[in-house]
Structures are given as structure tokens and as C-alpha cells.
Amino acid sequence: PIEIPAQEMYGEQFDIPAPDELIFISSFTGGEVFRSGCTFRRGNGRIFYFSPGDQDYPVYHHPDVLHVIANGAEWAAADPSRRELPALLRSEEGGFSAGHGHQGAMHGEEAAE
């Protein structure tokens, strides 16, 4: 557990998708709780959401908070070998295209109508 002496209270309902992993739940003296650390995977990307407080309190100088931020950034950047750069195709005119044989959003009989 990380104890932060003072911070702004956040509470549920927090309208986000269900996280892949719930890392932290913040609890407050009034009984409120908040999902303050979550991970998400989208395609080959990784997202780490962390909310220990806000700018009115010196929360981001807390050594444990700095450690969590560093770990979250390291986790999100991990496994670059799985990531592939997208292929960028150019047409003969030098512009961008959607690949060989691309005919636009509508082609054939639909385009003639």
C-alpha cells in the first residue's frame, strides 16, 4: 500500500472500459473508493492509467508515486519486438495510397449511380 497524507478525492463511478488489470484502488476517509491504477492493451499498444491525486497537493513528488510512474512507463514501453511499423505505400505521383488496386470508397456500379 501507498499512503498519501493529503490529496483530492476522486470517486466512482469512473466511466472507463473494464481494465485488463486493476493495479490500485484508492480509498478515502469518507469510505469512497476509486480505481486509480489500471492497465489496458489495445492492439500491440499498452496503456497504464494512474491517478494518485492532482496539482493542488505535492503528490507527484512522493517517492512511491514516482516509482509507480516509472514502473508504469517501463511496462507500457515493454516488448517492442512485437510491434511492427506500418507499411507506408506511395502512389506513382508521390502521394499516399491505400495500397495496390485501391479504387476508393466506392467503385464499380455504385460509383456510376
Side-chain angles (χ1 to χ4, degrees):
I2 298 173
E3 289 192 31
I4 299 174
Q7 68 173 335
E8 183 175 54
M9 194 283 297
Y10 295 96
E12 296 289 341
Q13 176 169 354
F14 183 36
D15 192 16
I16 60 170
D20 294 331
E21 297 168 284
L22 181 58
I23 308 298
F24 292 106
I25 297 177
S26 294
S27 59
F28 300 90
T29 56
E32 301 88 359
V33 295
F34 181 71
R35 293 172 287 165
S36 56
C38 303
T39 65
F40 303 90
R41 289 175 182 82
R42 298 295 183 264
N44 287 334
R46 293 179 173 189
I47 302 164
F48 175 63
Y49 171 83
F50 180 54
S51 176
D54 79 340
Q55 68 278 359
D56 290 338
Y57 299 95
V59 174
Y60 292 101
H61 300 285
H62 190 288
D64 291 333
V65 169
L66 292 171
H67 192 98
V68 169
I69 292 170
N71 285 348
E74 184 177 338
W75 175 84
D79 203 11
S81 62
R82 286 186 48 214
R83 298 181 183 182
E84 297 178 14
L85 294 175
L88 180 62
L89 304 174
R90 294 183 178 266
S91 67
E92 291 179 16
E93 294 83 34
F96 297 103
S97 79
H100 300 290
H102 177 68
Q103 298 179 17
M106 297 181 66
H107 60 281
E109 294 179 10
E110 297 91 19
E113 293 176 0

